[in-house]
Amino acid sequence: DAGITQSPRHKVTETGTPVTLRCHQTENHRYMYWYRQDPGHGLRLIHYSYGVKDTDKGEVSDGYSVSRSKTEDFLLTLESATSSQTSVYFCASRSSTHNEQFFGPGTRLTVL
Amino acid sequence: EDQVTQSPEALRLQEGESSSLNCSYTVSGLRGLFWYRQDPGKGPEFLFTLYSAGEEKEKERLKATLTKKESFLHITAPKPEDSATYLCAVSVQGGSEKLVFGKGTKLTVNP
């Protein structure tokens, strides 16, 4: 298993506040991803990174931004949290030579 | 539009009662199909990757197969610890990094 950690694991915040979620991997994987998981939906890609400072949008990127200043860290920022962003957020990573993604333990975010 | 449909949504089995989960997909070009297991409150755990029709992969009581339109996850003589949600995802040709996930099948194995 890829060594992927996420922090915080749980967060409750209020509408309009900024929130940053952190993903850290120890596998030196080139690719990293942020997904959200909601009841009635499959996992949906928010943003991904294909290298340091190289990022691109996924299918549900509105209201989210990302940054990757080091190979091991990928940050997801909600500039102004809304109740529709209440969800479980998963980070994943994969190497350049394999297609399978390995997931972190998730962050449960509640926006009141 | 690329789409993945899993069935059934939920499945209850008795310990030892073998069955199969289905993942049907509609994509412009399949680069790979992935099976994951997800336990409550945890991240998806990678199980298998399949790339071409006719390919099979096995791990303990699980066997995944692939055709041109669908994949099956066969569970032989399941045990209660096999209870989990099983997710199917496809990677599409064309350079996109997106994995398209199905909504999952929740499997419960009763002792």
Side-chain angles (χ1 to χ4, degrees), chain A residues 33-105:
Chain A
Y33 309 83
W34 276 107
Y35 291 89
R36 61 178 291 173
Q37 188 174 42
D38 304 288
H41 295 272
L43 282 154
R44 292 180 292 174
L45 182 65
I46 304 171
H47 281 282
Y48 67 95
S49 170
Y50 47 97
V52 173
K53 298 188 178 177
D54 291 323
T55 65
D56 207 347
K57 296 179 179 180
E59 62 180 308
V60 290
S61 59
D62 288 348
Y64 302 96
S65 63
V66 290
S67 65
R68 192 165 178 206
S69 59
K70 296 186 289 185
T71 298
E72 57 266 36
D73 291 326
F74 193 32
L75 303 181
L76 177 71
T77 297
L78 292 65
E79 300 291 346
S80 178
T82 68
S83 58
S84 64
Q85 293 175 313
T86 291
S87 187
V88 181
Y89 290 86
F90 289 101
C91 175
S93 71
R94 75 168 180 92
S95 72
S96 300
T97 54
H98 293 82
N99 290 318
E100 50 269 16
Q101 297 179 18
F102 295 92
F103 284 80

Side-chain angles (χ1 to χ4, degrees), chain B residues 52-110:
Chain B
S52 56
E55 189 174 0
E56 298 182 353
K57 294 273 181 74
E58 281 190 70
K59 179 180 180 180
E60 295 181 355
R61 294 176 293 281
L62 301 176
K63 183 168 81 172
T65 61
L66 181 65
T67 73
K68 289 187 177 180
K69 295 264 174 103
E70 59 192 347
S71 176
F72 292 94
L73 186 64
H74 306 278
I75 304 176
T76 302
K79 298 182 178 182
E81 53 262 42
D82 295 321
S83 297
T85 295
Y86 290 86
L87 303 175
C88 172
V90 297
S91 175
V92 182
Q93 290 176 355
S96 170
E97 279 298 314
K98 186 175 74 171
L99 279 186
V100 181
F101 278 86
K103 296 179 182 179
T105 294
K106 183 176 181 180
L107 174 67
T108 304
V109 182
N110 296 313

Side-chain angles (χ1 to χ4, degrees), chain A residues 9-46:
Chain A
R9 294 293 315 281
H10 302 271
K11 186 168 182 67
V12 180
T13 191
E14 293 189 350
T15 298
T17 60
V19 176
T20 296
L21 308 183
R22 179 177 183 250
C23 177
H24 179 79
Q25 55 106 352
T26 58
E27 300 297 316
N28 201 34
H29 284 171
R30 176 184 175 187
Y31 295 88
M32 296 186 74
Y33 309 83
W34 276 107
Y35 291 89
R36 61 178 291 173
Q37 188 174 42
D38 304 288
H41 295 272
L43 282 154
R44 292 180 292 174
L45 182 65
I46 304 171

